[in-house]
Amino acid sequence: MYQPIAWKEDHILLLDQTKLPEQEVYIECRDLETVADAIRRLAVRGAPALGVVAALAVALEARIITGKTRDEFFHELQKLCDRILETRPTAVNMKWALHRVTEKLQSADTAQVKNLKKMLEQEALAIFHEDIEANQKIGIHGREIVPDQATIMTICNTGSLATAGYGTAFGVIRAAAEAGKKVLAVSCETRPLLQGSRLTAWELQKNNIPFVLITDSMAGYYMKKKGADLVIIGADRIAANGDSANKIGSYSLAILAHQHNIPFYVAAPTSTIDPDTQQGDDIPIEERKPEEITHIGNQRIAPDGVAVWNPAFDVVPFAYIAGIITEKGIIKPPYKKNIRKALGENRQETTD
Amino acid sequence: MYQPIAWKEDHILLLDQTKLPEQEVYIECRDLETVADAIRRLAVRGAPALGVVAALAVALEARIITGKTRDEFFHELQKLCDRILETRPTAVNMKWALHRVTEKLQSADTAQVKNLKKMLEQEALAIFHEDIEANQKIGIHGREIVPDQATIMTICNTGSLATAGYGTAFGVIRAAAEAGKKVLAVSCETRPLLQGSRLTAWELQKNNIPFVLITDSMAGYYMKKKGADLVIIGADRIAANGDSANKIGSYSLAILAHQHNIPFYVAAPTSTIDPDTQQGDDIPIEERKPEEITHIGNQRIAPDGVAVWNPAFDVVPFAYIAGIITEKGIIKPPYKKNIRKALGENRQETTD
């Protein structure tokens, strides 16, 4: 149907999400800098997608590492990782993916540089494929909480475009629809960058899922007048206590859902959970340039020189979250304990 | 500084608000239809401004009423009123202003048609000037509740552009600043039509009031991270029980303020109170065309053929409102009783 990320052996193809829904244009990335630039411009975005793309970009660029010894190789590899990591501070999936590939290579302690480069590529591709699998499992677990005839509100884009494929919160909606449940999605447009109207609306159309598009400011009144059965969002980083960073507007949505007694879920692969981050306040929140608010495309919509606050994300406190839908099942409160348990099981599995 | 509405004897000048902040262009209205069109396109908007402009437009067009008898005159006058009234259903101020001028003429039961036309013009101009006075009084009453160093959040535009001059919620912020209080305004951009970024930001700049522009989706997170002392909004219609219709997004803002223990005020002249409307559910909510959400200017921001919900207003239940700031003082709960009292005093004054 559409493949936002594709590995083409000597390059990576990325669907340029800044051009959607008007044009489906692919960016041919033959080096890490082109990928880093695409990440900065949000041509590719979404926490799980960023993890996959970061690993692929490093695997591609690592081929031209000139270091002959393992030490030299790892030194240069770290520099590549840092170049990608500095593009966006909030999503933990890049850190997670690059940590995973580096650990994998380091554990192969007899491998030579040439083999390390090959292993790196294999591990990056494994992350790619596992993310799709994880998303499908999120869909299977998540669809259980979706009643038939459900109205499900969401924000930002958490579909194929935000992941290696299938989607997280979007994947739950999709899985429920694929299982034959009648669902109505309500997509909040997601200012400033309109991922809800540009990307989620486009993906919902492509998947023939009925939906309504609203501005973010209509969410509360929609809940009151039309009603909603669930709110499901994605996450860019989940702290050890369950606090979840996600697209700006998620915090308001959680409060509005709470006030209307609508269960509020987060859907994300466990790679989005950062056990090193104790709580939401410890998550770095990226602030982006004012022009995202003062302009739409090239069109100015605010006077020259206005002061703007433009955090790209906010944090939903765990108390507002009914459950975190992961590939391992739905994590319920108490989160500290149950997140530790889910990650512990994860570690066992990967070391088995 | 800037005069959004001006009466020029044989025409009305309206600042075209759809062109702001890029251009300051005036529309020369020589007939009622040009005014009606400006209202429909939101070239002029804001409940108090609509009341003034409706009365002026009817006064202008009434000059060419050909009916010779009083009966013929009132019959044709009613048609003019209906043509203006049907442009926008939610704001009650047009209904209020046209009712007031019609009653005034009817009470002059010996006046001839020629004199009725002159009286109509005088009464329309009286409404114009009284609205400015009312706004200034709203400012005087409202500034009392503004602490020094206050951060005040607002939505939509309630300034000179939304009234005959000065402003309602904006007037309170302005009056506090003029009284020497240090204030910081937080302007929510107000999707879909961006009155907050296009108009309020422009007026705040013109008045040298410090402010920050945010997207509507940032309001909750702003309250949590930066804090706010007050939320003050305008109103398009206030029901007899205090429920207040205002720009879409106001309802969400009220819930967010409630959750953060921030007092939430409505500022409006008593002409915005409709004693015939018992409660919020009885207020007709205008739904506008989908293109307001799927496009910004000529730029498409959502795929073709998406389903959209686009209510122009929502209703803040009285329970969330700390007070209604009017030209007669701040109406506090219980609203049913105190609104009746405020309107009763009003009637006495006008019949004295």
Side-chain angles (χ1 to χ4, degrees):
Chain A
M1 178 150 60
Y2 53 96
Q3 203 181 355
I5 306 168
W7 173 255
K8 297 289 180 183
E9 301 303 334
D10 64 344
H11 65 280
I12 303 161
L13 276 186
L14 297 178
L15 180 55
D16 187 346
Q17 300 185 28
T18 65
K19 299 269 198 297
L20 290 175
E22 293 277 15
Q23 294 171 285
E24 295 180 30
V25 179
Y26 285 81
I27 308 165
E28 203 176 285
C29 305
R30 294 189 174 270
D31 54 34
L32 181 139
E33 195 44 45
T34 311
V35 175
D37 181 61
I39 293 173
R40 265 182 233 110
R41 292 192 304 113
L42 309 193
V44 57
R45 23 67 51 203
L50 290 177
V52 169
V53 165
L56 293 176
V58 167
L60 189 68
E61 190 85 5
R63 290 177 183 172
I64 56 165
I65 286 179
T66 50
K68 292 278 183 283
T69 68
R70 282 179 58 98
D71 275 359
E72 286 167 347
F73 176 81
F74 280 111
H75 181 72
E76 294 193 45
L77 183 67
Q78 191 54 51
K79 282 198 216 162
L80 299 186
C81 293
D82 291 344
R83 275 169 61 193
I84 282 285
L85 280 173
E86 71 191 11
T87 55
R88 303 212 56 203
T90 303
V92 77
N93 308 61
M94 293 203 289
K95 195 181 106 184
W96 171 87
L98 297 177
H99 181 73
R100 172 169 153 178
V101 295
T102 307
E103 274 219 321
K104 178 82 179 184
L105 302 196
Q106 278 167 339
S107 70
D109 52 9
T110 60
Q112 294 306 301
V113 168
K114 190 182 152 193
N115 291 335
L116 288 176
K117 292 178 180 178
K118 190 67 202 161
M119 284 175 64
L120 176 53
E121 182 181 319
Q122 284 165 349
E123 193 65 10
L125 286 170
I127 289 173
F128 191 174
H129 299 131
E130 285 169 29
D131 187 62
I132 299 177
E133 266 175 55
N135 281 208
Q136 286 165 337
K137 284 185 191 157
I138 287 170
I140 289 167
H141 295 302
R143 73 184 180 203
E144 296 304 318
I145 58 156
V146 178
D148 195 20
Q149 311 280 350
T151 296
I152 309 172
M153 190 176 286
T154 191
I155 188 169
C156 200
N157 173 265
T158 57
S160 293
L161 295 169
T163 60
Y166 205 75
T168 54
F170 189 97
V172 173
I173 299 172
R174 176 192 293 218
E178 284 171 0
K181 293 183 182 180
K182 278 207 188 337
V183 294
L184 174 70
V186 180
S187 176
C188 295
E189 66 172 5
T190 320
R191 279 281 289 152
L193 291 176
L194 299 165
Q195 291 91 340
S197 52
R198 292 190 304 106
L199 308 179
T200 299
W202 183 80
E203 286 205 67
L204 286 162
Q205 260 190 350
K206 290 252 178 192
N207 287 279
N208 291 314
I209 298 170
F211 71 99
V212 181
L213 176 66
I214 60 172
T215 66
D216 308 315
S217 59
M218 292 167 190
Y221 199 53
Y222 193 100
M223 290 174 184
K224 183 171 185 205
K225 296 304 277 190
K226 309 268 185 180
D229 300 285
L230 292 171
V231 178
I232 313 181
I233 66 165
D236 291 77
R237 187 185 302 208
I238 300 172
N241 70 345
D243 289 350
S244 296
N246 191 50
K247 182 52 55 198
I248 186 71
S250 299
Y251 174 68
S252 290
L253 219 48
I255 289 175
L256 294 169
H258 175 75
Q259 199 72 7
H260 293 89
N261 294 311
I262 300 167
F264 186 95
Y265 284 88
V266 172
T270 52
S271 60
T272 310
I273 301 171
D274 183 9
D276 298 337
T277 300
Q278 294 311 308
Q279 56 192 12
D281 282 346
D282 302 334
I283 301 175
I285 299 294
E286 176 184 4
E287 292 199 21
R288 295 180 60 86
K289 58 181 183 177
E291 287 75 16
E292 291 184 353
I293 294 182
T294 57
H295 291 69
I296 288 186
N298 293 324
Q299 195 172 341
R300 167 173 285 285
I301 54 170
D304 237 335
V306 301
V308 158
W309 187 53
N310 186 20
F313 305 94
D314 58 27
V315 176
V316 180
F318 67 83
Y320 291 108
I321 301 170
I324 300 170
I325 309 166
T326 74
E327 75 279 15
K328 303 179 154 298
I330 301 178
I331 305 176
K332 302 286 271 182
Y335 287 116
K336 240 185 210 169
K337 185 181 128 208
N338 290 336
I339 282 176
R340 211 162 39 219
K341 207 171 135 200
L343 291 186
E345 282 166 8
N346 189 31
R347 281 194 194 115
Q348 268 186 336
E349 273 185 26
T350 49
T351 50
D352 272 355
Chain B
M1 179 149 61
Y2 52 97
Q3 202 182 355
I5 306 168
W7 174 253
K8 296 289 178 185
E9 301 302 333
D10 63 343
H11 65 281
I12 303 161
L13 276 187
L14 297 178
L15 179 56
D16 187 345
Q17 300 186 27
T18 65
K19 300 270 197 296
L20 290 175
E22 292 277 17
Q23 293 170 284
E24 293 180 32
V25 179
Y26 284 81
I27 308 166
E28 201 177 286
C29 305
R30 294 189 175 270
D31 54 34
L32 181 138
E33 194 46 43
T34 310
V35 174
D37 182 60
I39 294 173
R40 265 182 233 111
R41 293 191 303 112
L42 309 193
V44 57
R45 24 68 49 206
L50 290 176
V52 169
V53 165
L56 293 176
V58 167
L60 189 68
E61 189 86 4
R63 292 180 182 171
I64 56 166
I65 286 180
T66 51
K68 293 277 185 281
T69 68
R70 282 179 58 99
D71 275 0
E72 285 168 346
F73 176 80
F74 280 111
H75 180 72
E76 292 190 49
L77 183 67
Q78 190 55 51
K79 281 199 218 160
L80 300 186
C81 293
D82 290 345
R83 275 168 62 195
I84 283 284
L85 280 173
E86 71 191 11
T87 54
R88 304 212 55 202
T90 302
V92 78
N93 308 61
M94 294 204 288
K95 196 181 105 184
W96 171 86
L98 297 176
H99 182 72
R100 172 171 154 176
V101 294
T102 307
E103 276 218 321
K104 177 84 180 181
L105 302 195
Q106 278 168 340
S107 70
D109 51 10
T110 59
Q112 293 307 300
V113 167
K114 191 183 152 192
N115 291 336
L116 288 176
K117 291 179 182 179
K118 192 66 202 160
M119 284 176 65
L120 177 52
E121 184 181 318
Q122 283 163 348
E123 193 66 10
L125 286 170
I127 290 173
F128 191 173
H129 299 131
E130 285 169 27
D131 187 61
I132 299 177
E133 266 174 55
N135 281 209
Q136 285 164 337
K137 285 184 191 158
I138 288 171
I140 289 167
H141 294 302
R143 72 185 179 201
E144 296 303 318
I145 58 155
V146 177
D148 194 22
Q149 310 281 348
T151 296
I152 309 173
M153 191 177 283
T154 190
I155 188 169
C156 201
N157 173 266
T158 59
S160 292
L161 295 170
T163 60
Y166 205 76
T168 54
F170 189 96
V172 173
I173 298 172
R174 175 192 294 220
E178 285 171 359
K181 293 184 183 182
K182 276 206 187 342
V183 295
L184 174 70
V186 180
S187 175
C188 295
E189 65 170 7
T190 319
R191 279 282 289 152
L193 292 176
L194 299 165
Q195 290 91 339
S197 52
R198 291 192 304 106
L199 309 181
T200 299
W202 184 80
E203 286 205 67
L204 286 163
Q205 260 190 352
K206 290 252 178 193
N207 287 279
N208 290 315
I209 298 170
F211 71 100
V212 181
L213 175 66
I214 60 171
T215 66
D216 308 316
S217 59
M218 292 167 190
Y221 199 53
Y222 193 99
M223 290 174 184
K224 184 172 184 204
K225 295 304 276 189
K226 308 268 185 181
D229 300 286
L230 293 170
V231 178
I232 312 180
I233 66 165
D236 292 77
R237 186 183 303 207
I238 299 171
N241 70 346
D243 289 351
S244 297
N246 190 50
K247 181 53 55 197
I248 186 70
S250 300
Y251 174 69
S252 290
L253 219 47
I255 289 175
L256 294 170
H258 174 76
Q259 198 73 9
H260 293 88
N261 294 312
I262 299 167
F264 185 95
Y265 284 88
V266 172
T270 52
S271 61
T272 309
I273 301 172
D274 183 10
D276 299 338
T277 299
Q278 293 311 307
Q279 56 192 12
D281 282 347
D282 302 334
I283 300 175
I285 298 295
E286 175 184 5
E287 292 201 20
R288 295 181 60 87
K289 58 182 184 175
E291 287 74 17
E292 291 184 352
I293 295 182
T294 58
H295 291 69
I296 289 187
N298 293 322
Q299 194 173 340
R300 169 173 282 286
I301 53 169
D304 236 335
V306 301
V308 158
W309 187 52
N310 187 19
F313 305 95
D314 58 27
V315 176
V316 179
F318 68 82
Y320 291 108
I321 301 170
I324 300 171
I325 309 166
T326 75
E327 75 279 14
K328 303 181 154 296
I330 301 178
I331 305 176
K332 301 287 272 182
Y335 287 115
K336 241 185 208 166
K337 185 182 129 210
N338 290 337
I339 282 176
R340 210 164 36 222
K341 207 172 135 202
L343 291 187
E345 283 166 8
N346 189 32
R347 278 192 197 118
Q348 267 184 336
E349 273 184 25
T350 49
T351 49
D352 271 353

